[in-house]
Amino acid sequence: MSSLLGRLGGAAAARPWRTLVAWLLLLAAAFALAFTVGGTPRDSYRVPGTPSQAGSDLLAERFPEMSGAGARVVVHDRAGARVPDAVLEELSGRLAGLRGTPIVAPPVFSPSGDTALITLNYRIPVTSFEGAEGLDALRAAAEPVERGGLQVEFGGQLPENFSAPSGTAEAIGIVAALVILVLALGTVVSAGLPLIVALAGLGLGSAVVYLLAAVTDISATAPTVATMVGLGVGIDYALLLVSRHVEGLRKGLTPQRAAAEATATAGSSVVVAGSTVLVSLLGLKLAGLATYSSFGYATFAVVGAVMLASLTLVPALCSLAGPRLLRRAERRTIGKPAAAPAGPTRTERWARLIGRRPVAAALASLVVMLALAAPMLAMRTWPQDAGIQAESNTTRKAYDLVTAGYGPGANGPLLVTVDLRKVAAAELPAIAARLQADPGVAAVAPALLNGAGDAAVVSVQPRTGPQDTETRHLLERMRAGLLPPGAEVTGVVAVFADISDRLASRLWVVVPFVVALSLILLTLLFRAPVIALKAAAMNLLSVAAAYGVMTAVFQTDAGAGLLGLPHSVPVSSWVPILMFTVLFGLSMDYEVFLLSRVREDWLATGDARGSVVRGLSATGRVISSAAAIMVAVFIGFAIDPDVTVKMMGVGMAAAVLVDATIVRLVLVPATMTLLGRANWWLPAWLDRLLPELRIEHGDGPAPAARERERVGV
């Protein structure tokens, strides 16, 4: 593999302008296709095999006018006067003419009369609306009311399904990354190069995501998550290659030769690390939700694109930049004998210190990691709703007005669908009475029958809000005994509850799958099952610590307040599996970067302990810089208004920070020192089964042969 990558890097460096023109043409074609035939990301909440989906299917079959998207228009008089009936009548007429021929329910006044709630039921699903189309239509219909001095806000499924990207998070991440790159590499040219490469890969990957949206449902949040991951790994991969290229220049290699050497060595690490991320993303298919799979498709496309950009654009741009990648003082020493090092670097001294006391270092770091992970045991999951959105958001304003005027449960009504072929219509009053008698129910609306008289819908308003655990308990009581067979609970709250249950159960399928695939991949590439097992265990620790930090931050008022949230919130149901698959791959990046250099030294010297010190010394600065960049990028996304993205940003920043400090600087050198030559142990039977996938560069015996000689297998 290294030889192939070396030839690829050498070819790109020898013909840099052809490489750049090819990339420009590729980007132009991708963007042209995305703009002409690309689709719009949108969420789909179908959860096959769940009670809520059974209720939704019954509505679609027999009550189609109640089965589409839902929306709410909240009209409020800030002066406290009653909202005029004439204004509401005109507004209802305009709303009835919107696309999707919505059914417009009569306005419901709050007890004080200063708030009126109009509920709309569309005949088409929310996925039929492109981008902000549905919300824009609602705003246009309500514009005359707002001109009259009344406040109008929008809530419900349709408005909440749209989230406009701000671009602020990306900008913050790029600026922070540029600053760190200048400090790490020393010149603006060398610092700007990884950013250019990452943005080129990100552009190609984003175009592919919108092309995918034309043929399958892609979640509205998926492009943002893919951008977050792609920007971080793209800069990291390019930084690793540029750093290795600069090392070659310092040794007196020509730019073309340095580019080929860097792609052969660091490029192998990029391929292994990127492949691990891609393999981990395959686990999202096992979550059992189409929306979840879309996160995998989007992130897969972007990570694949930034890998391609790193392996082709970096050598081309490095070749064009030539010695300008070096500091001025270093340019004057090119070709001259290198000065003797003044002494060991700080990273080398640290590695030696850990090597002298490996047991104490390993135990201390393990205690810290377990302490960070401990809050995870109290994690509570629930999909986000408008109550935790930014106060400037219209859906949040509508949520607050409904809570103040009608009670918190009005924001999450439960819809009971009754199959009147299985339940006698005469039983509907008794069902309503049982529901009304439950202490968790605030109100039960009269049953609505379809035209054929074979289905009914009963709306139940809980006393508590959608995220409250009491609402979940009410849902469980309704399903356990309050409702007869043939009646199902659906609606957004019930769907989200089923999503939480599905994702919680599938987490224990996804985790073994991702871990097993990563173990197989690392064993194939490094031919060291002990190394693969150790890497998997440490990555699991990093993910657990990230879960703990995220739980501690978001499930406390103080932590949530620091991030602009009104109060503590449950962890979004979407986050645990998504974070696990992404983080497991990202954590492997640093493991691969470090182990590749350690293995290189081990194969050259046979010194198991010394190779750890030298490998960590050679990669410590690069890994620390790469981690700092990724943390900066992820923290930038922590200010995103979307709560799911905010949680991903916080959790992933915490994981990368812990991984690049406690794990890479303490746990890895400590455990590798303790294991010594056993790190590279390979059973004879497994040696015969594994193919020779050489990832090192250079001449000499095959790695497997050297390992057999030195380890004695």
Side-chain angles (χ1 to χ4, degrees):
M1 181 169 67
S2 63
S3 299
L4 177 62
L5 290 173
R7 289 195 294 272
L8 175 64
R15 302 173 183 82
W17 289 111
R18 292 186 185 180
T19 305
L20 292 178
V21 169
W23 260 97
L24 288 174
L25 292 175
L26 180 61
L27 285 171
F31 279 118
L33 286 172
F35 279 116
T36 53
V37 300
T40 301
R42 50 201 175 193
D43 289 298
S44 173
Y45 294 117
R46 284 191 60 84
V47 195
T50 61
S52 61
Q53 190 61 53
S56 298
D57 291 342
L58 180 68
L59 288 177
E61 177 188 350
R62 304 187 202 172
F63 228 137
E65 61 272 26
M66 294 286 291
S67 66
R72 291 172 159 199
V73 180
V74 185
V75 184
H76 176 68
D77 191 308
R78 296 182 179 90
R82 180 181 172 85
V83 179
D85 290 330
V87 171
L88 296 175
E89 185 177 347
E90 292 178 6
L91 174 59
S92 296
R94 288 192 294 272
L95 293 172
L98 298 180
R99 176 174 173 257
T101 56
I103 297 173
V104 182
V108 177
F109 284 91
S110 64
S112 61
D114 63 350
T115 304
L117 175 62
I118 302 176
T119 302
L120 287 73
N121 288 101
Y122 290 81
R123 298 177 185 273
I124 56 178
V126 70
T127 52
S128 298
F129 294 94
E130 297 284 340
E133 175 191 357
L135 180 57
D136 289 343
L138 291 173
R139 283 176 170 153
E143 185 179 356
V145 179
E146 291 182 299
R147 287 202 305 266
L150 295 174
Q151 179 184 1
V152 183
E153 306 296 346
F154 309 97
Q157 183 186 17
L158 180 59
E160 292 172 17
N161 195 59
F162 172 73
S163 178
S166 66
T168 305
E170 292 89 335
I172 291 174
I174 290 172
V175 171
L178 182 59
V179 172
I180 296 169
L181 285 168
V182 171
L183 294 174
L185 297 174
T187 69
V188 175
V189 174
S190 58
L193 197 150
L195 275 179
I196 293 172
V197 172
L199 291 175
L202 191 60
L204 176 61
S206 298
V208 173
V209 170
Y210 283 91
L211 288 173
L212 288 173
V215 295
T216 187
D217 287 335
I218 298 292
S219 169
T221 311
T224 305
V225 173
T227 297
M228 182 196 317
V229 178
L231 187 60
V233 301
I235 295 173
D236 277 10
Y237 294 165
L239 171 62
L240 184 68
L241 286 159
V242 172
S243 298
R244 200 63 183 258
H245 178 88
V246 169
E247 284 184 27
L249 294 179
R250 287 172 180 154
K251 291 188 296 186
L253 299 179
T254 65
Q256 289 78 12
R257 180 61 181 166
E261 291 280 351
T263 312
T265 52
S268 298
S269 298
V270 168
V271 171
V272 174
S275 299
T276 308
V277 175
L278 297 179
V279 165
S280 297
L281 290 171
L282 295 176
L284 291 175
K285 283 291 293 180
L286 299 178
L289 292 175
T291 296
Y292 232 72
S293 298
S294 74
F295 281 98
Y297 301 149
T299 311
F300 196 101
V302 172
V303 171
V306 298
M307 283 177 60
L308 177 63
S310 298
L311 295 172
T312 54
L313 273 179
V314 168
L317 292 174
C318 284
S319 176
L320 289 174
R324 290 190 298 276
L325 294 173
L326 297 171
R327 294 180 175 91
R328 289 185 180 180
E330 291 176 321
R331 295 177 205 169
R332 292 192 290 267
T333 63
I334 293 178
K336 298 179 181 179
T345 63
R346 280 179 292 181
T347 308
E348 188 175 350
R349 289 196 297 269
W350 175 262
R352 289 176 178 174
L353 174 64
I354 297 297
R356 287 195 295 269
R357 297 178 178 84
V359 176
L363 289 177
S365 57
L366 184 60
V367 168
V368 173
M369 295 291 286
L370 293 176
L372 290 173
M376 175 184 68
L377 299 175
M379 181 188 290
R380 184 166 70 90
T381 61
W382 184 259
Q384 68 184 66
D385 63 29
I388 56 175
Q389 296 296 335
E391 293 183 356
S392 59
N393 195 313
T394 185
T395 57
R396 168 66 188 280
K397 292 177 181 177
Y399 187 98
D400 291 343
L401 287 173
V402 169
T403 298
Y406 307 89
N411 281 299
L414 301 169
L415 292 181
V416 178
T417 62
V418 185
D419 186 348
L420 296 181
R421 296 175 184 174
K422 300 178 180 178
V423 180
E427 292 186 36
L428 290 175
I431 293 173
R434 283 200 302 273
L435 292 171
Q436 186 67 71
D438 189 278
V441 173
V444 178
L448 296 176
L449 272 68
N450 66 344
D454 59 358
V457 174
V458 179
S459 180
V460 178
Q461 178 181 326
R463 293 189 183 276
T464 50
Q467 290 190 34
D468 198 297
T469 54
E470 289 302 317
T471 303
R472 181 65 176 268
H473 294 159
L474 170 62
L475 174 62
E476 292 169 355
R477 290 195 299 274
M478 292 171 67
R479 287 174 168 171
L482 290 177
L483 297 176
E488 299 288 357
V489 187
T490 188
V492 173
V493 173
V495 169
F496 279 2
D498 289 340
I499 286 174
S500 290
D501 291 341
R502 172 68 62 85
L503 294 178
S505 64
R506 301 300 288 181
L507 178 63
W508 306 112
V509 177
V510 173
V511 168
F513 174 80
V514 172
V515 172
L517 280 183
S518 300
L519 283 173
I520 293 170
L521 179 61
L522 288 180
T523 302
L524 281 171
L525 292 167
F526 287 112
R527 302 180 64 82
V530 173
I531 287 288
L533 284 169
K534 181 175 63 63
M538 291 184 181
N539 288 350
L540 287 172
L541 272 176
S542 295
V543 174
Y547 282 171
V549 170
M550 187 174 59
T551 302
V553 169
F554 286 95
Q555 290 188 195
T556 59
D557 289 336
L562 290 174
L563 294 169
L565 298 178
H567 49 72
S568 64
V569 296
V571 173
S572 172
S573 301
W574 306 108
V575 170
I577 291 180
L578 183 59
M579 258 186 65
F580 177 82
T581 52
V582 173
L583 281 179
F584 202 84
L586 292 182
S587 295
M588 283 293 186
D589 280 2
Y590 300 125
E591 185 81 8
V592 168
F593 293 166
L594 173 58
L595 289 179
S596 296
R597 204 58 176 264
V598 173
R599 178 180 168 85
E600 231 179 281
D601 191 279
W602 151 252
L603 292 176
T605 66
D607 181 1
R609 294 195 173 195
S611 64
V612 176
V613 174
R614 290 185 290 272
L616 184 58
S617 179
T619 60
R621 183 180 177 85
V622 176
I623 288 178
S624 297
S625 301
I629 290 168
M630 202 171 284
V631 169
V633 169
F634 293 156
I635 287 178
F637 280 90
I639 68 168
D640 194 276
D642 187 279
V643 178
T644 299
V645 175
K646 191 186 293 288
M647 289 181 179
M648 287 285 294
V650 170
M652 292 170 67
V656 171
L657 181 61
V658 167
D659 193 77
T661 53
I662 300 174
V663 173
R664 300 303 149 217
L665 294 180
V666 184
L667 264 178
V668 168
T671 54
M672 291 193 76
T673 299
L674 287 170
L675 290 170
R677 294 167 67 87
N679 285 298
W680 309 106
W681 171 74
L682 182 68
W685 64 268
L686 186 58
D687 182 26
R688 290 190 295 270
L689 291 176
L690 293 178
E692 294 277 359
L693 299 176
R694 188 170 182 182
I695 62 173
E696 292 79 17
H697 185 62
D699 301 322
R706 292 188 181 185
E707 288 165 356
R708 284 192 292 271
E709 293 170 6
R710 290 176 177 155
V711 182
V713 176

